[in-house]
Amino acid sequence: MRRDFAESAGRRSDLVIGREESFGAAREQLARGGSVLLHGPAGIGKSTVLRTLAAEHARTTPTVLRCSATESESHLPFLALADLLGVVLDQVSDALPAAQRTALESALTGRGESTLQRDGLALRLAVLSALRALAAEGPVLVVADDLQWLDPASAELLGFAARRLGDTPVRLLCAVRTEEPRAEGAEYDRHLRASPPDTRAVRLGPLTRAQVSALLDERGYSGLPRSTVRDIHRTSGGNPLFALELGRALAESPTPPRPGEPLPVPTSLRALVLTRLEMLSDEARRTLLVASAGARPTPALLHAAGRENAEAETAQAATLGLLATDSEGPAVRFAHPLISAALYAEAPAPERRAAHAALSTAASDPIERARHLALATTGTDPEVAARLAEAAALARDRGAPSVAASLGLLAARHTPPDSVPGPDERRVTAAEDAITAGEPDLARDVAREVLTRAGAPGERVRAWMVVIEAAGQAIGDVDAAFPQALADAGDDPRLLALVHYQLAWRSLVVQGDFAQGREEAAHAARLAAEAGDRRTELLALAFQAQAETLMGHPSAPATIGRALAEPQDARVACHHNGAGSSRFRWLVMNDRLAEARTAVTGLLREVRRRGMAESEVHYLRFLAETELHSGHCGRALELARESLTLARDAGIGEGAGAMQAALAEAAGGDVRRAVTLAREAVRRTEEDGDAVYLSRALAALGHASLVAGDAEGAVRALCRVRELEAGAGITDPARGRWQGDLAEALVRTGAPAEALDVIEVTRAHALRLGRGSVLAVLDRAEALVRAARGEHRSALTRLASARERLAGLGYGLEEARAAFALAELRAERPGRAPGAGTGTGTGSYDEAARLFRRCRALPWLRQVEAAVAARSAEPLPAPPAVPDALAGLASMERQVAALVMEGATNREIAGRLFVSVKTVEATLTRVYRKLGIRSRVDIVRLAAGRREE
């Protein structure tokens, strides 16, 4: 048995995809000697998790007993018991009393007439005794899968023993099939009652879309478009077994489903629901077919589609478990999306077209009517194509670009070849909608299909632009597209403007050349203006403005003004490469954080309304950056994680997302995770050949390394950033704000002179551009250099000034870092007593901790706590000279009295000596009693008398 488990354990990495939390909870329960009951619906992965856990624990557990029941064998008494104890019967039989041994052998071998009625008590006790005998030699793990199919006799015996094991080292790891959470309570409660008292029930729920995508990739179905993965997730309901079967069917299918059609359901999954479908009347089945074809079916819609007895027929389906019985509102809801998909897939094509034809007039929404009309129509039809194109435009305006892309492809399929616009023009438009919706795989496939035909130059250039945009940051992978696009554009200024705009991005991303990118963008803007293409002109101006901003070019404000001038294009205005984005970047770099937050929040709201997925990913990241600058680390962490999740789900900007998430984790989360994410960002940007975000990713790695205490790693990463930005012509230090970190890391590695060089070069650019926050951070770094040279007084002055200026500009986290540096410097000044920086003064550890706590900067707060703990571990300072009258006091009493003589308050004394205020008060009470005095004033008088002498 252990061999079987070991074989399955080899694939644990993919077996528990999406089950990390559940797996961890079950593992922890087993590790502390408890039992686990896994439960959830069929196909959810219970057996997979159970086998993986069993394989893991089999390596350290001397005895593993296993049974796995099936429905067809559930009528055979004692079968599961034979699976569990049959192989160890000889091992335990001598430890059992004669009556128990006879009863157990009879049940397991079938040689006698043993039954629960005849030998019930003896048999129950025999099972319990057998488990105790095995446990006497070491821990026992009982693994039971599919408890719902256990034969009643075995279930009764196992439950009897489980309830009486007590402290015996026997753990149960079981799995049972249950339905949805609303209906499963009684089912698994029954199994819990038959389990040991310490059993933990762990429910396995559906996978997320990203987890389904990872599972499909792991099992070899990695070539599926993201839009298809989305459909698989929806149809499977997040059930891993269903998702894998759907993925396999799609991978084996010679033709993918047409736009608007449900996924093909393989026979293996149809069998799960078809038996119940066969129990429906023909009319009820037709009603459910109409419901499966509709987007949001209701009884009213079914009536309008000609299903006169819809209520009775849906009630029949609900009785059979095909429809949800607790539907929310008037909607007709299938118990599982797979039922709807299987019903649709099983129906003959004429019946499906009839259902869509009925819905094309019954649906109230024009988009739905057009979709149903398309699916009810065969062949080309210019009227149907026109209605679909109108519906696509409406979906686009409603902020549903994914729906617009699907409708556009349907329109292209029904468009006659000689129509104007033609089918390829509509395909390109659909591809552009797919780009907006964050479906680059679909967009690229459609565009390449168009390019296989010798179409009109305008269609071909637009298709090339889709191919280039679909590449994302890996624009270097489609270098071959540029000369072909230029050839197709000819001398048409409108088409040339499109190509030169993308060439600007290539210069920036692939070559890291901001100056060349700026020139290409300016050229594209002039060509677009000549052609009257305001949209491309605005995009090119926005690019030019952003390049100038990052370069520190003096023309940046004027170019931003041109990009924001009327007339505007609403989609460009909120696009992440539009003028709004350029203005946001300019605001951040000019320390106008409140305005930047307002601007990016409005942009995020608008792109969400329009369904612009890629822009949403970017703006979430921008907002996280703004909150991080402002010292709102908890909020920044939430936003950065959300942006990264969306980026991974859509395959958009994953390197940039990991970069920002790394910075957020370093500020408010887990430093180790920050370093891991930063390394991922570097790897992704290097793989993509993305010179723009490579320097940002390296800056994040340098910062995370510095926070993690790896100053040498920070220097290595940040020196690479310096080289990359110098080569790219970036002179504005507010672009990446890494220079202060590099200087600090250099000081920590014993290179203060090099740190000062970094500071002086950067300060010249920051003064030229008026970057106040950068100058303050540089002053903080220079204070560290001065402190390293022994110039403590000037270092303290510079740090205090830097902290005050950062607070005034609203950079909460940087202000807290300055306060922390002040506390460290005050504590380390020559002649300063250890712990002297721990009071409540401006530069104290208490103040730094307060500021970091306000920011929710947990990693930094831990550094403060570690610094205080290190100080408290140092030998206490020698007490100051005290009057002879204090000589008879204990050591702690003399120290407290001496500090009272200096005028310290009880709270200050507690901070200086690392004790509580109550301890100080109790100590003073003893001092008063020993010295025969009544108050602190008398202690001060003693000191005064000594000084007068």
mmCIF file of all heavy atoms in Angstrom, residues 526-568:
data_model
loop_
_atom_site.group_PDB
_atom_site.id
_atom_site.type_symbol
_atom_site.label_atom_id
_atom_site.label_comp_id
_atom_site.label_asym_id
_atom_site.label_seq_id
_atom_site.Cartn_x
_atom_site.Cartn_y
_atom_site.Cartn_z
ATOM 1 N N ARG A 526 2.787 63.752 -35.965
ATOM 2 C CA ARG A 526 2.705 64.629 -37.145
ATOM 3 C C ARG A 526 1.983 63.932 -38.302
ATOM 4 O O ARG A 526 1.133 64.545 -38.969
ATOM 5 C CB ARG A 526 4.118 65.050 -37.572
ATOM 6 C CG ARG A 526 4.785 66.028 -36.618
ATOM 7 C CD ARG A 526 6.058 66.621 -37.223
ATOM 8 N NE ARG A 526 7.075 65.605 -37.451
ATOM 9 C CZ ARG A 526 8.001 65.258 -36.551
ATOM 10 N NH1 ARG A 526 8.025 65.854 -35.362
ATOM 11 N NH2 ARG A 526 8.913 64.341 -36.848
ATOM 12 N N LEU A 527 2.299 62.656 -38.530
ATOM 13 C CA LEU A 527 1.637 61.908 -39.605
ATOM 14 C C LEU A 527 0.146 61.778 -39.334
ATOM 15 O O LEU A 527 -0.689 61.950 -40.245
ATOM 16 C CB LEU A 527 2.264 60.514 -39.726
ATOM 17 C CG LEU A 527 3.671 60.438 -40.320
ATOM 18 C CD1 LEU A 527 4.260 59.051 -40.100
ATOM 19 C CD2 LEU A 527 3.609 60.744 -41.829
ATOM 20 N N ALA A 528 -0.219 61.496 -38.098
ATOM 21 C CA ALA A 528 -1.635 61.337 -37.755
ATOM 22 C C ALA A 528 -2.382 62.659 -37.911
ATOM 23 O O ALA A 528 -3.528 62.682 -38.390
ATOM 24 C CB ALA A 528 -1.762 60.819 -36.324
ATOM 25 N N ALA A 529 -1.750 63.755 -37.516
ATOM 26 C CA ALA A 529 -2.392 65.059 -37.683
ATOM 27 C C ALA A 529 -2.615 65.363 -39.160
ATOM 28 O O ALA A 529 -3.669 65.885 -39.554
ATOM 29 C CB ALA A 529 -1.533 66.147 -37.035
ATOM 30 N N GLU A 530 -1.646 65.019 -39.985
ATOM 31 C CA GLU A 530 -1.766 65.228 -41.431
ATOM 32 C C GLU A 530 -2.935 64.416 -42.001
ATOM 33 O O GLU A 530 -3.666 64.889 -42.886
ATOM 34 C CB GLU A 530 -0.462 64.807 -42.110
ATOM 35 C CG GLU A 530 -0.480 64.922 -43.633
ATOM 36 C CD GLU A 530 0.772 64.346 -44.267
ATOM 37 O OE1 GLU A 530 1.779 64.177 -43.559
ATOM 38 O OE2 GLU A 530 0.730 64.052 -45.488
ATOM 39 N N ALA A 531 -3.125 63.193 -41.461
ATOM 40 C CA ALA A 531 -4.188 62.311 -41.971
ATOM 41 C C ALA A 531 -5.527 62.580 -41.300
ATOM 42 O O ALA A 531 -6.533 61.994 -41.689
ATOM 43 C CB ALA A 531 -3.785 60.866 -41.767
ATOM 44 N N GLY A 532 -5.555 63.443 -40.300
ATOM 45 C CA GLY A 532 -6.812 63.702 -39.590
ATOM 46 C C GLY A 532 -7.211 62.583 -38.652
ATOM 47 O O GLY A 532 -8.385 62.446 -38.292
ATOM 48 N N ASP A 533 -6.228 61.769 -38.232
ATOM 49 C CA ASP A 533 -6.503 60.656 -37.313
ATOM 50 C C ASP A 533 -6.203 61.136 -35.889
ATOM 51 O O ASP A 533 -5.097 60.990 -35.376
ATOM 52 C CB ASP A 533 -5.623 59.457 -37.686
ATOM 53 C CG ASP A 533 -5.863 58.252 -36.785
ATOM 54 O OD1 ASP A 533 -6.675 58.347 -35.857
ATOM 55 O OD2 ASP A 533 -5.197 57.210 -37.017
ATOM 56 N N ARG A 534 -7.221 61.730 -35.273
ATOM 57 C CA ARG A 534 -7.029 62.332 -33.953
ATOM 58 C C ARG A 534 -6.695 61.276 -32.893
ATOM 59 O O ARG A 534 -5.888 61.521 -31.995
ATOM 60 C CB ARG A 534 -8.282 63.095 -33.539
ATOM 61 C CG ARG A 534 -8.195 63.815 -32.197
ATOM 62 C CD ARG A 534 -7.108 64.865 -32.178
ATOM 63 N NE ARG A 534 -7.137 65.662 -30.950
ATOM 64 C CZ ARG A 534 -6.161 66.444 -30.543
ATOM 65 N NH1 ARG A 534 -5.047 66.536 -31.284
ATOM 66 N NH2 ARG A 534 -6.274 67.141 -29.442
ATOM 67 N N ARG A 535 -7.267 60.098 -32.989
ATOM 68 C CA ARG A 535 -7.020 59.051 -31.988
ATOM 69 C C ARG A 535 -5.535 58.689 -31.937
ATOM 70 O O ARG A 535 -4.917 58.679 -30.866
ATOM 71 C CB ARG A 535 -7.861 57.808 -32.295
ATOM 72 C CG ARG A 535 -7.667 56.677 -31.293
ATOM 73 C CD ARG A 535 -8.506 55.453 -31.648
ATOM 74 N NE ARG A 535 -8.386 54.444 -30.617
ATOM 75 C CZ ARG A 535 -7.379 53.574 -30.516
ATOM 76 N NH1 ARG A 535 -6.400 53.596 -31.418
ATOM 77 N NH2 ARG A 535 -7.339 52.686 -29.528
ATOM 78 N N THR A 536 -4.956 58.385 -33.100
ATOM 79 C CA THR A 536 -3.534 58.023 -33.133
ATOM 80 C C THR A 536 -2.666 59.209 -32.738
ATOM 81 O O THR A 536 -1.639 59.051 -32.062
ATOM 82 C CB THR A 536 -3.147 57.516 -34.521
ATOM 83 O OG1 THR A 536 -3.992 56.413 -34.875
ATOM 84 C CG2 THR A 536 -1.698 57.073 -34.576
ATOM 85 N N GLU A 537 -3.067 60.416 -33.142
ATOM 86 C CA GLU A 537 -2.303 61.602 -32.765
ATOM 87 C C GLU A 537 -2.252 61.749 -31.243
ATOM 88 O O GLU A 537 -1.193 62.031 -30.667
ATOM 89 C CB GLU A 537 -2.929 62.851 -33.385
ATOM 90 C CG GLU A 537 -2.168 64.134 -33.055
ATOM 91 C CD GLU A 537 -2.894 65.387 -33.533
ATOM 92 O OE1 GLU A 537 -4.048 65.269 -34.004
ATOM 93 O OE2 GLU A 537 -2.305 66.483 -33.426
ATOM 94 N N LEU A 538 -3.391 61.543 -30.574
ATOM 95 C CA LEU A 538 -3.431 61.671 -29.114
ATOM 96 C C LEU A 538 -2.579 60.607 -28.437
ATOM 97 O O LEU A 538 -1.876 60.893 -27.465
ATOM 98 C CB LEU A 538 -4.882 61.574 -28.632
ATOM 99 C CG LEU A 538 -5.785 62.762 -28.977
ATOM 100 C CD1 LEU A 538 -7.236 62.435 -28.647
ATOM 101 C CD2 LEU A 538 -5.335 64.017 -28.223
ATOM 102 N N LEU A 539 -2.632 59.372 -28.934
ATOM 103 C CA LEU A 539 -1.810 58.307 -28.360
ATOM 104 C C LEU A 539 -0.322 58.621 -28.514
ATOM 105 O O LEU A 539 0.476 58.427 -27.593
ATOM 106 C CB LEU A 539 -2.134 56.972 -29.023
ATOM 107 C CG LEU A 539 -3.433 56.289 -28.582
ATOM 108 C CD1 LEU A 539 -3.755 55.108 -29.497
ATOM 109 C CD2 LEU A 539 -3.327 55.818 -27.133
ATOM 110 N N ALA A 540 0.055 59.123 -29.708
ATOM 111 C CA ALA A 540 1.462 59.443 -29.958
ATOM 112 C C ALA A 540 1.922 60.599 -29.080
ATOM 113 O O ALA A 540 3.044 60.577 -28.539
ATOM 114 C CB ALA A 540 1.658 59.771 -31.432
ATOM 115 N N LEU A 541 1.082 61.624 -28.921
ATOM 116 C CA LEU A 541 1.437 62.745 -28.053
ATOM 117 C C LEU A 541 1.574 62.293 -26.604
ATOM 118 O O LEU A 541 2.472 62.752 -25.875
ATOM 119 C CB LEU A 541 0.388 63.851 -28.168
ATOM 120 C CG LEU A 541 0.404 64.670 -29.462
ATOM 121 C CD1 LEU A 541 -0.833 65.567 -29.540
ATOM 122 C CD2 LEU A 541 1.682 65.521 -29.547
ATOM 123 N N ALA A 542 0.679 61.398 -26.175
ATOM 124 C CA ALA A 542 0.759 60.889 -24.806
ATOM 125 C C ALA A 542 2.054 60.123 -24.588
ATOM 126 O O ALA A 542 2.715 60.248 -23.548
ATOM 127 C CB ALA A 542 -0.445 59.993 -24.504
ATOM 128 N N PHE A 543 2.445 59.320 -25.586
ATOM 129 C CA PHE A 543 3.710 58.594 -25.483
ATOM 130 C C PHE A 543 4.873 59.576 -25.398
ATOM 131 O O PHE A 543 5.773 59.435 -24.563
ATOM 132 C CB PHE A 543 3.885 57.684 -26.704
ATOM 133 C CG PHE A 543 5.165 56.877 -26.684
ATOM 134 C CD1 PHE A 543 5.161 55.555 -26.311
ATOM 135 C CD2 PHE A 543 6.382 57.467 -27.018
ATOM 136 C CE1 PHE A 543 6.339 54.816 -26.285
ATOM 137 C CE2 PHE A 543 7.561 56.745 -26.989
ATOM 138 C CZ PHE A 543 7.540 55.414 -26.623
ATOM 139 N N GLN A 544 4.859 60.567 -26.267
ATOM 140 C CA GLN A 544 5.927 61.563 -26.272
ATOM 141 C C GLN A 544 6.014 62.270 -24.921
ATOM 142 O O GLN A 544 7.106 62.483 -24.379
ATOM 143 C CB GLN A 544 5.682 62.583 -27.391
ATOM 144 C CG GLN A 544 6.760 63.659 -27.506
ATOM 145 C CD GLN A 544 6.435 64.691 -28.577
ATOM 146 O OE1 GLN A 544 5.583 64.444 -29.451
ATOM 147 N NE2 GLN A 544 7.078 65.837 -28.517
ATOM 148 N N ALA A 545 4.851 62.613 -24.372
ATOM 149 C CA ALA A 545 4.829 63.304 -23.074
ATOM 150 C C ALA A 545 5.408 62.428 -21.971
ATOM 151 O O ALA A 545 6.171 62.899 -21.114
ATOM 152 C CB ALA A 545 3.391 63.694 -22.734
ATOM 153 N N GLN A 546 5.060 61.146 -22.002
ATOM 154 C CA GLN A 546 5.556 60.255 -20.955
ATOM 155 C C GLN A 546 7.061 60.054 -21.081
ATOM 156 O O GLN A 546 7.788 60.041 -20.082
ATOM 157 C CB GLN A 546 4.832 58.910 -21.036
ATOM 158 C CG GLN A 546 5.199 57.965 -19.899
ATOM 159 C CD GLN A 546 4.007 57.201 -19.373
ATOM 160 O OE1 GLN A 546 2.941 57.746 -19.135
ATOM 161 N NE2 GLN A 546 4.187 55.909 -19.213
ATOM 162 N N ALA A 547 7.539 59.898 -22.316
ATOM 163 C CA ALA A 547 8.984 59.746 -22.515
ATOM 164 C C ALA A 547 9.718 60.987 -22.021
ATOM 165 O O ALA A 547 10.760 60.887 -21.345
ATOM 166 C CB ALA A 547 9.286 59.485 -23.981
ATOM 167 N N GLU A 548 9.196 62.161 -22.335
ATOM 168 C CA GLU A 548 9.835 63.409 -21.904
ATOM 169 C C GLU A 548 9.813 63.543 -20.385
ATOM 170 O O GLU A 548 10.768 64.029 -19.774
ATOM 171 C CB GLU A 548 9.150 64.594 -22.575
ATOM 172 C CG GLU A 548 9.426 64.668 -24.079
ATOM 173 C CD GLU A 548 8.607 65.734 -24.793
ATOM 174 O OE1 GLU A 548 7.682 66.303 -24.156
ATOM 175 O OE2 GLU A 548 8.880 65.995 -25.973
ATOM 176 N N THR A 549 8.707 63.126 -19.777
ATOM 177 C CA THR A 549 8.608 63.183 -18.318
ATOM 178 C C THR A 549 9.679 62.318 -17.665
ATOM 179 O O THR A 549 10.383 62.743 -16.742
ATOM 180 C CB THR A 549 7.212 62.727 -17.859
ATOM 181 O OG1 THR A 549 6.224 63.614 -18.406
ATOM 182 C CG2 THR A 549 7.101 62.745 -16.346
ATOM 183 N N LEU A 550 9.820 61.095 -18.152
ATOM 184 C CA LEU A 550 10.787 60.170 -17.563
ATOM 185 C C LEU A 550 12.229 60.590 -17.844
ATOM 186 O O LEU A 550 13.135 60.293 -17.071
ATOM 187 C CB LEU A 550 10.532 58.756 -18.080
ATOM 188 C CG LEU A 550 9.171 58.157 -17.690
ATOM 189 C CD1 LEU A 550 8.960 56.811 -18.364
ATOM 190 C CD2 LEU A 550 9.058 58.014 -16.180
ATOM 191 N N MET A 551 12.426 61.262 -18.986
ATOM 192 C CA MET A 551 13.770 61.729 -19.332
ATOM 193 C C MET A 551 14.139 63.010 -18.595
ATOM 194 O O MET A 551 15.299 63.437 -18.612
ATOM 195 C CB MET A 551 13.851 62.001 -20.838
ATOM 196 C CG MET A 551 13.745 60.768 -21.714
ATOM 197 S SD MET A 551 13.505 61.221 -23.447
ATOM 198 C CE MET A 551 15.048 62.062 -23.796
ATOM 199 N N GLY A 552 13.146 63.658 -17.980
ATOM 200 C CA GLY A 552 13.407 64.964 -17.383
ATOM 201 C C GLY A 552 13.510 66.049 -18.432
ATOM 202 O O GLY A 552 14.183 67.068 -18.219
ATOM 203 N N HIS A 553 12.865 65.858 -19.587
ATOM 204 C CA HIS A 553 12.934 66.822 -20.693
ATOM 205 C C HIS A 553 12.088 68.050 -20.367
ATOM 206 O O HIS A 553 10.964 67.932 -19.880
ATOM 207 C CB HIS A 553 12.424 66.150 -21.975
ATOM 208 C CG HIS A 553 12.808 66.860 -23.224
ATOM 209 N ND1 HIS A 553 12.200 68.025 -23.630
ATOM 210 C CD2 HIS A 553 13.738 66.566 -24.175
ATOM 211 C CE1 HIS A 553 12.730 68.413 -24.778
ATOM 212 N NE2 HIS A 553 13.669 67.548 -25.123
ATOM 213 N N PRO A 554 12.572 69.237 -20.634
ATOM 214 C CA PRO A 554 11.823 70.448 -20.280
ATOM 215 C C PRO A 554 10.520 70.621 -21.048
ATOM 216 O O PRO A 554 9.654 71.384 -20.623
ATOM 217 C CB PRO A 554 12.803 71.588 -20.604
ATOM 218 C CG PRO A 554 13.774 70.996 -21.580
ATOM 219 C CD PRO A 554 13.896 69.562 -21.202
ATOM 220 N N SER A 555 10.358 69.915 -22.166
ATOM 221 C CA SER A 555 9.140 70.068 -22.959
ATOM 222 C C SER A 555 7.973 69.252 -22.438
ATOM 223 O O SER A 555 6.867 69.338 -22.987
ATOM 224 C CB SER A 555 9.414 69.661 -24.417
ATOM 225 O OG SER A 555 10.412 70.471 -24.989
ATOM 226 N N ALA A 556 8.191 68.436 -21.415
ATOM 227 C CA ALA A 556 7.152 67.521 -20.953
ATOM 228 C C ALA A 556 5.827 68.216 -20.618
ATOM 229 O O ALA A 556 4.766 67.792 -21.107
ATOM 230 C CB ALA A 556 7.659 66.714 -19.766
ATOM 231 N N PRO A 557 5.803 69.299 -19.814
ATOM 232 C CA PRO A 557 4.511 69.925 -19.494
ATOM 233 C C PRO A 557 3.770 70.418 -20.737
ATOM 234 O O PRO A 557 2.543 70.272 -20.834
ATOM 235 C CB PRO A 557 4.899 71.085 -18.568
ATOM 236 C CG PRO A 557 6.212 70.686 -17.985
ATOM 237 C CD PRO A 557 6.914 69.943 -19.073
ATOM 238 N N ALA A 558 4.501 70.990 -21.698
ATOM 239 C CA ALA A 558 3.850 71.500 -22.905
ATOM 240 C C ALA A 558 3.281 70.356 -23.731
ATOM 241 O O ALA A 558 2.167 70.463 -24.286
ATOM 242 C CB ALA A 558 4.861 72.292 -23.743
ATOM 243 N N THR A 559 3.995 69.235 -23.815
ATOM 244 C CA THR A 559 3.489 68.092 -24.590
ATOM 245 C C THR A 559 2.277 67.482 -23.911
ATOM 246 O O THR A 559 1.320 67.058 -24.581
ATOM 247 C CB THR A 559 4.598 67.033 -24.757
ATOM 248 O OG1 THR A 559 5.770 67.650 -25.284
ATOM 249 C CG2 THR A 559 4.151 65.930 -25.699
ATOM 250 N N ILE A 560 2.275 67.424 -22.589
ATOM 251 C CA ILE A 560 1.091 66.937 -21.872
ATOM 252 C C ILE A 560 -0.101 67.829 -22.187
ATOM 253 O O ILE A 560 -1.224 67.350 -22.416
ATOM 254 C CB ILE A 560 1.351 66.893 -20.349
ATOM 255 C CG1 ILE A 560 2.358 65.788 -20.016
ATOM 256 C CG2 ILE A 560 0.058 66.648 -19.582
ATOM 257 C CD1 ILE A 560 2.772 65.751 -18.561
ATOM 258 N N GLY A 561 0.134 69.143 -22.221
ATOM 259 C CA GLY A 561 -0.949 70.073 -22.565
ATOM 260 C C GLY A 561 -1.494 69.803 -23.956
ATOM 261 O O GLY A 561 -2.721 69.828 -24.167
ATOM 262 N N ARG A 562 -0.631 69.533 -24.928
ATOM 263 C CA ARG A 562 -1.088 69.210 -26.281
ATOM 264 C C ARG A 562 -1.885 67.915 -26.288
ATOM 265 O O ARG A 562 -2.898 67.788 -26.987
ATOM 266 C CB ARG A 562 0.117 69.075 -27.222
ATOM 267 C CG ARG A 562 0.840 70.381 -27.523
ATOM 268 C CD ARG A 562 2.119 70.102 -28.301
ATOM 269 N NE ARG A 562 1.828 69.457 -29.595
ATOM 270 C CZ ARG A 562 2.715 68.772 -30.297
ATOM 271 N NH1 ARG A 562 3.959 68.615 -29.817
ATOM 272 N NH2 ARG A 562 2.391 68.230 -31.446
ATOM 273 N N ALA A 563 -1.447 66.926 -25.505
ATOM 274 C CA ALA A 563 -2.150 65.639 -25.467
ATOM 275 C C ALA A 563 -3.511 65.753 -24.785
ATOM 276 O O ALA A 563 -4.410 64.953 -25.049
ATOM 277 C CB ALA A 563 -1.289 64.600 -24.743
ATOM 278 N N LEU A 564 -3.663 66.766 -23.924
ATOM 279 C CA LEU A 564 -4.940 66.944 -23.219
ATOM 280 C C LEU A 564 -5.867 67.930 -23.918
ATOM 281 O O LEU A 564 -7.012 68.136 -23.481
ATOM 282 C CB LEU A 564 -4.675 67.434 -21.788
ATOM 283 C CG LEU A 564 -4.033 66.410 -20.836
ATOM 284 C CD1 LEU A 564 -3.607 67.084 -19.547
ATOM 285 C CD2 LEU A 564 -5.008 65.274 -20.548
ATOM 286 N N ALA A 565 -5.398 68.542 -24.996
ATOM 287 C CA ALA A 565 -6.202 69.553 -25.687
ATOM 288 C C ALA A 565 -7.375 68.903 -26.424
ATOM 289 O O ALA A 565 -7.333 67.733 -26.806
ATOM 290 C CB ALA A 565 -5.322 70.321 -26.677
ATOM 291 N N GLU A 566 -8.424 69.689 -26.617
ATOM 292 C CA GLU A 566 -9.580 69.227 -27.385
ATOM 293 C C GLU A 566 -9.278 69.299 -28.882
ATOM 294 O O GLU A 566 -8.438 70.101 -29.305
ATOM 295 C CB GLU A 566 -10.802 70.097 -27.043
ATOM 296 C CG GLU A 566 -11.261 69.974 -25.592
ATOM 297 C CD GLU A 566 -11.793 68.598 -25.251
ATOM 298 O OE1 GLU A 566 -12.195 67.873 -26.182
ATOM 299 O OE2 GLU A 566 -11.796 68.246 -24.070
ATOM 300 N N PRO A 567 -9.956 68.497 -29.699
ATOM 301 C CA PRO A 567 -10.935 67.479 -29.309
ATOM 302 C C PRO A 567 -10.247 66.234 -28.772
ATOM 303 O O PRO A 567 -9.152 65.898 -29.171
ATOM 304 C CB PRO A 567 -11.662 67.182 -30.617
ATOM 305 C CG PRO A 567 -10.635 67.431 -31.681
ATOM 306 C CD PRO A 567 -9.804 68.575 -31.190
ATOM 307 N N GLN A 568 -10.943 65.575 -27.853
ATOM 308 C CA GLN A 568 -10.422 64.364 -27.237
ATOM 309 C C GLN A 568 -11.166 63.130 -27.743
ATOM 310 O O GLN A 568 -12.292 63.227 -28.240
ATOM 311 C CB GLN A 568 -10.560 64.434 -25.717
ATOM 312 C CG GLN A 568 -9.505 65.285 -25.031
ATOM 313 C CD GLN A 568 -8.133 64.633 -25.079
ATOM 314 O OE1 GLN A 568 -7.973 63.437 -24.824
ATOM 315 N NE2 GLN A 568 -7.115 65.430 -25.415
#
